[in-house]
Amino acid sequence: MLTFTIRRLILSVPTLLFISLMIFLLLELAPGDPMAQVPLTVPPEVKEKMREALGLGEPMHIRFWKWIVQFFWIEPQVLIDHYFGTTFSEGSLRVISWQTRSPVMDIVIQRMPQTLWVVGTAYVVAILIALPIGIYSAYRQYSWFDQLGTFVSMVGFSVPPFFSGVLVIVIFSVQLGWFPSIYDTTHVVDSWESFVKQLQQMIMPVMVLALQITAQLSRFMRASMLDNLNQDYVRTARAKGLSEYVVVMVHVLRNSMIPVVTVIALGIPSIFGGAIITEQVFKVNGIGQLLIGAIQANDLPMVQTLTFIFAVLIVLFNLIADVLYGILDPRIRYD
Amino acid sequence: MTELSNPIPTQPPRSQWLDVWDQFKSHRGALMGGILFLLIVATVYLGPFVWDIEATHIDIRSRNQGPSWAHPFGTDQLGRDMLARMMAGGATSVSVGLTAMLLALFLGSFIGVLAGFFKRLDGPLMRLTDLFLALPLLPLLLVMMLLFREPLNATFGPEQGIFILIVASIGITSWMPTARIVRGDVLAIKEREFVMAARSIGTPDSKLISRHILPNVLSPIMVSATLGIATAIITESSLSFLGLGFPPDFPTWGRLLFDATDYLQQYPERVFWPGMAISLTVLSVNYLGDGLRDALDPRIRGR
């Protein structure tokens, strides 16, 4: 197991390097000019200086190398400095956003909590709803509950978030006026009233995201339960006279959770990056909105860094899912 | 000469596709999904011949009207007929969905068959697939939209250019699941006796693939085709919704929904129609795929 993990970790380094190179080359083709916003009265030689200050004058491979160094060497130093008060990174150039001229990672850190709160809550809520639904619809296959569950998850698959989001806005904030349609990120929770307000503004985005995730997870849970319910060991357990509750919730559930846990792990990167559309609908200024804004403003270092962070998360959680699978299911041996 | 015990079969032989159709018919959701999908496709393509108001015809005097006999879905803020716009938008969205699905299917089957059939190519091609799966797709799609919009617009004109761009980028970013499924099936079929028999009489590789392997992996390909239409339509609408898809005067369902969100307070029904159209199309395609999967699986068929 350990050797497998180490081998996969080592293998993921070239993968990630290749992905970063691909993203970099794709962005290299960008037609936009970061100097487009600068007024025409600025003389061309000053513009040229500004361009060089952004690191644009050098050839492609040097800029790529610089980005690699900044991202993998300088940013971790900044992190260490931040926590331990050391001064490793003093004087070295960090990845700078062209939009705000401030370090990209600082902005990412600022935006992270909103995304984590909204999307993370949705994920937890979805897991809590999806697992019981999946278990019960597998246990009572083809009952009306199962049919309803199938239909609801089909709807969850089919209704895109930009429609369900707008729909709940129409119903709950335009017609009923219960919840605000725009997520207020400056809101500080310090009392019971402000906590209720925070809950109110979180309900709609969480609802929309949770519907989607629930649809997928409950299908997975159901299929995995069905695979196990007809196995011989279940019959043995029943024949031994174990109660139905113990058979289903202990014997079957534990075995059925193996693939579901890995699916849950695989979905975690989407907590950070996937909810781009939902964030856009409810105006949550999280990571997704940051990316959209950066793309529209031609802020290449920001786009490069964000896309790469998403790629790192995907690769990392793929690895975690594989390792989890090996730990949970002793039949699987990678070595 | 003794008589043969059973000289003439009493029933004509049943073809495989008849069995598939029988199984498909018994899945009520799939049948309804299929009919609904055909109906939607027929409406968006043939509808404009019946309802002959131009989707781009501006009649500013009759703007923001509710549903009436002259305009069953009402009119938008420039007095354009919503029904005509829905049909025009649907034609674009469905065309994008179908073409992107075909492209992804072609790429996926090609890579899947190559990786499954030729052992030497298996490693590199599957690593490539893993690599593509590790890419953050929606961000990359957005980046591609931003980057290649202008050069393609200049070469092919604004509508053709963006159509090619959207279809190509969706196709390039969604072939991986098909490739994996096809590879797995090819690996299993390659070892079967009929393939060995065909090889032993000197069938060249190209014929072996086209005659013996491809027909046998058709069912997973067909299932991923239906699901591919659904994802392609949703992706196109998301791009249009984020303002990075088709230009504003060129309606698609996603674009219509995006435009309607500005008038959410006054005319919420305008959001409803395009959203409903997208959801219904995707729902019908999903049910269709579900039924196809059951119908094409010989282990389930006949039960």
Side-chain angles (χ1 to χ4, degrees):
Chain A
M1 209 62 227
L2 191 66
T3 41
F4 169 76
T5 315
I6 293 170
R7 200 171 66 223
R8 280 288 303 266
L9 266 178
I10 293 170
L11 248 175
S12 65
V13 172
T15 313
L16 282 175
L17 278 180
F18 191 79
I19 289 176
S20 68
L21 181 67
M22 253 169 88
I23 299 171
F24 182 82
L25 288 179
L26 196 63
L27 291 178
E28 244 347 86
L29 297 166
D33 182 3
M35 294 288 109
Q37 308 293 331
V38 176
L40 288 171
T41 44
V42 175
E45 55 280 8
V46 179
K47 254 190 186 175
E48 201 50 49
K49 283 254 171 64
M50 289 165 80
R51 207 183 292 273
E52 268 164 35
L54 287 176
L56 271 174
E58 283 139 299
M60 217 155 69
H61 58 274
I62 293 185
R63 269 181 297 142
F64 182 59
W65 176 245
K66 270 194 164 170
W67 181 83
I68 294 268
V69 169
Q70 282 168 352
F71 188 84
F72 287 102
W73 186 240
I74 298 175
E75 292 297 340
Q77 286 179 355
V78 174
L79 195 70
I80 293 170
D81 289 355
H82 177 74
Y83 279 116
F84 302 106
T86 46
T87 49
F88 288 121
S89 64
E90 242 182 22
S92 36
L93 193 63
R94 302 175 62 186
V95 187
I96 299 290
S97 156
W98 287 351
Q99 253 173 312
T100 58
R101 306 283 194 269
S102 59
V104 168
M105 286 316 269
D106 289 0
I107 306 174
V108 172
I109 299 290
Q110 279 172 14
R111 296 296 188 96
M112 201 59 112
Q114 286 89 296
T115 300
L116 280 184
W117 264 113
V118 175
V119 193
T121 317
Y123 210 67
V124 174
V125 168
I127 292 173
L128 290 180
I129 298 174
L131 296 192
I133 290 180
I135 294 169
Y136 194 72
S137 28
Y139 187 63
R140 294 242 178 277
Q141 200 189 2
Y142 301 132
S143 64
W144 66 267
F145 184 86
D146 183 29
Q147 306 279 4
L148 186 74
T150 310
F151 182 72
V152 169
S153 62
M154 272 293 189
V155 171
F157 270 129
S158 308
V159 179
F162 50 85
F163 181 47
S164 50
V166 171
L167 210 61
V168 294
I169 288 183
V170 168
I171 296 172
F172 292 110
S173 30
V174 177
Q175 303 289 342
L176 297 173
W178 288 355
F179 311 123
S181 72
I182 292 178
Y183 188 93
D184 177 12
T185 34
T186 53
H187 184 67
V188 185
V189 178
D190 50 8
S191 62
W192 177 249
E193 284 80 42
S194 60
F195 177 68
V196 171
K197 191 159 173 280
Q198 173 72 13
L199 271 189
Q200 277 182 344
Q201 65 176 356
M202 268 174 69
I203 284 179
M204 289 202 297
V206 167
M207 199 153 65
V208 168
L209 278 168
L211 174 71
Q212 279 202 310
I213 306 166
T214 310
Q216 293 176 14
L217 273 183
S218 66
R219 287 294 86 187
F220 253 105
M221 191 70 224
R222 176 178 176 272
S224 166
M225 284 290 282
L226 280 178
D227 275 350
N228 277 293
L229 271 171
N230 293 322
Q231 301 239 338
D232 290 343
Y233 73 83
V234 182
R235 198 169 2 141
T236 312
R238 286 206 178 110
K240 282 196 301 187
L242 293 179
S243 70
E244 198 61 19
Y245 179 83
V246 174
V247 171
V248 176
M249 298 306 279
V250 178
H251 289 230
V252 179
L253 184 61
R254 278 182 66 163
N255 283 298
S256 314
M257 281 305 284
I258 297 169
V260 177
V261 166
T262 56
V263 169
I264 291 175
L266 283 179
I268 289 178
S270 67
I271 293 185
F272 296 87
I276 294 175
I277 292 164
T278 317
E279 285 189 359
Q280 196 73 10
V281 171
F282 292 100
K283 313 277 189 297
V284 182
N285 63 343
I287 298 285
Q289 226 201 12
L290 183 64
L291 179 72
I292 302 267
I295 287 177
Q296 276 160 357
N298 233 320
D299 185 357
L300 299 189
M302 179 75 91
V303 177
Q304 160 101 19
T305 311
L306 277 178
T307 356
F308 186 66
I309 291 176
F310 293 153
V312 171
L313 287 171
I314 294 175
V315 171
L316 184 71
F317 278 95
N318 265 319
L319 172 67
I320 291 179
D322 278 357
V323 172
L324 264 182
Y325 210 90
I327 293 174
L328 293 175
D329 191 344
R331 287 168 300 185
I332 307 244
R333 279 284 158 265
Y334 293 113
D335 318 308
Chain B
M1 280 286 267
T2 51
E3 225 177 296
L4 286 171
S5 58
N6 190 8
I8 304 158
T10 49
Q11 284 181 332
R14 291 171 60 80
S15 81
Q16 180 201 358
W17 295 108
L18 211 61
D19 283 351
V20 169
W21 171 241
D22 275 355
Q23 173 68 31
F24 184 74
K25 261 194 312 193
S26 68
H27 193 308
R28 208 183 314 144
L31 200 63
M32 270 164 50
I35 292 171
L36 186 61
F37 183 62
L38 285 182
L39 219 97
I40 291 171
V41 172
T43 315
V44 298
Y45 284 117
L46 303 177
F49 292 110
V50 183
W51 190 256
D52 54 357
I53 299 181
E54 280 276 312
T56 46
H57 175 71
I58 295 176
D59 179 9
I60 203 81
R61 276 199 207 148
S62 57
R63 66 178 187 273
N64 294 333
Q65 280 182 359
S68 64
W69 284 111
H71 305 287
F73 283 6
T75 54
D76 70 355
Q77 73 278 10
L78 293 174
R80 292 174 291 197
D81 181 55
M82 277 306 281
L83 180 61
R85 284 176 75 73
M86 284 288 295
M87 288 193 290
T92 318
S93 291
V94 174
S95 311
V96 167
L98 290 175
T99 335
M101 174 272 289
L102 282 179
L103 181 63
L105 214 59
F106 173 75
L107 277 175
S109 319
F110 184 70
I111 291 180
V113 167
L114 281 187
F117 196 80
F118 299 105
K119 211 172 191 139
R120 252 179 319 128
L121 292 177
D122 191 16
L125 282 180
M126 281 301 109
R127 289 295 80 69
L128 184 76
T129 314
D130 289 347
L131 198 78
F132 264 84
L133 280 171
L135 290 174
L137 292 181
L138 192 59
L140 270 193
L141 270 176
L142 295 174
V143 172
M144 277 156 90
M145 287 297 131
L146 178 82
L147 299 188
F148 301 115
R149 178 194 291 266
E150 251 123 70
L152 277 172
N153 278 359
T155 339
F156 297 101
E159 280 149 31
Q160 285 297 316
I162 200 86
F163 186 83
I164 295 173
L165 174 58
I166 287 187
V167 164
S169 29
I170 294 178
I172 290 171
T173 49
S174 56
W175 54 268
M176 295 82 74
T178 319
R180 280 192 156 179
I181 297 168
V182 169
R183 168 184 171 268
D185 275 26
V186 170
L187 275 179
I189 288 169
K190 198 175 66 168
E191 305 301 328
R192 300 263 288 274
E193 283 82 0
F194 69 90
V195 176
M196 206 193 293
R199 198 191 290 279
S200 69
I201 58 170
T203 318
D205 279 349
S206 57
K207 280 275 176 295
L208 211 56
I209 290 173
S210 63
R211 275 268 178 80
H212 300 280
I213 306 261
L214 266 185
N216 280 296
V217 291
L218 206 59
S219 54
I221 293 182
M222 277 171 72
V223 173
S224 46
T226 51
L227 301 180
I229 297 177
T231 29
I233 289 179
I234 286 203
T235 315
E236 184 272 319
S237 315
S238 324
L239 289 176
S240 294
F241 183 79
L242 292 172
L244 286 160
F246 283 91
D249 52 340
F250 195 69
T252 71
W253 284 337
R255 185 80 217 183
L256 288 177
L257 190 81
F258 177 60
D259 291 343
T261 46
D262 294 343
Y263 299 89
L264 204 56
Q265 302 268 352
Q266 301 98 316
Y267 311 105
E269 75 274 3
R270 246 184 244 165
V271 176
F272 187 71
W273 296 119
M276 209 58 205
I278 298 171
S279 311
L280 271 184
T281 314
V282 175
L283 190 68
S284 67
V285 169
N286 275 340
Y287 262 109
L288 183 69
D290 219 37
L292 263 185
R293 180 176 10 225
D294 288 358
L296 289 168
D297 190 343
R299 282 169 301 182
I300 298 178
R301 208 189 304 150
R303 268 205 273 154

